[in-house]
């Protein structure tokens, strides 16, 4: 008799639980993300689907899709006030998100990247 840890059933169950856990860990709270974006004034320059003064979030997501540093890069962008470049060539400091809670900021960034 095979040990339980080597059985195909156990391996399948372990794989499935890992997938479910990973999905739960990366689940985005859209309502909370939108609330933080509203509170921080993000929707003054951005929308989900159309370009305004800033790029649409779907375009931001497309730009960073598949890049391993996407989350870190966007967190830095919305928390440091780095310069944002506009089509006419001028630059302005990007507004800083109105939260110091790392989980809230990460949720907002992951919501943007999910577009």
């Amino acid at each position: 008799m095979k040990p339980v840890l080597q059985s195909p059933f156990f391996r399948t169950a372990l794989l499935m639980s890992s997938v479910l856990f990973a999905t739960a860990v990366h689940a985005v709270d859209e309502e909370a993300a939108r609330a933080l974006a509203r509170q921080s004034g993000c929707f003054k320059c951005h929308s989900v689907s159309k370009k305004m003064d800033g790029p649409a979030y779907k375009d931001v997501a497309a730009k960073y899709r598949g890049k391993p540093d996407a989350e870190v890069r966007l967190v830095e962008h919305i928390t440091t006030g780095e310069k944002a470049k506009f089509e006419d060539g001028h630059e302005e400091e990007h507004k800083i998100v109105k939260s110091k809670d790392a989980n809230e900021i990460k949720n907002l960034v992951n919501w943007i990247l999910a577009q």
Side-chain angles (χ1 to χ4, degrees):
M1 179 177 215
K2 287 184 181 179
V4 173
L5 296 177
Q6 292 179 357
S7 76
F9 175 77
F10 180 79
R11 288 182 184 185
T12 302
L14 183 62
L15 176 63
M16 292 304 293
S17 65
S18 297
V19 169
L20 293 173
F21 179 73
T23 302
V25 168
H26 296 293
V28 172
D29 182 343
E30 180 177 358
E31 187 176 321
R34 284 181 177 271
L36 181 56
R38 272 191 301 279
Q39 174 190 1
S40 300
C42 301
F43 292 126
K44 290 179 182 177
C45 296
H46 300 277
S47 94
V48 172
S49 59
K50 72 176 193 175
K51 183 182 177 345
M52 296 173 62
D53 284 339
Y57 288 142
K58 70 177 182 81
D59 295 332
V60 173
K63 175 181 176 180
Y64 287 100
R65 190 162 290 121
K67 295 185 178 175
D69 66 337
E71 183 181 300
V72 171
R73 180 68 195 100
L74 288 180
V75 166
E76 178 182 337
H77 185 68
I78 66 173
T79 60
T80 64
E82 71 179 32
K83 298 282 186 181
K85 296 175 185 168
F86 291 81
E87 286 184 354
D88 67 2
H90 84 281
E91 295 181 354
E92 293 177 15
E93 287 185 3
H94 192 275
K95 302 286 185 202
I96 295 175
V97 68
K98 294 186 178 183
S99 177
K100 299 293 183 199
D101 184 309
N103 290 327
E104 287 180 357
I105 295 167
K106 183 176 177 177
N107 184 64
L108 174 59
V109 166
N110 284 324
W111 174 71
I112 293 167
L113 292 172
Q115 303 308 307

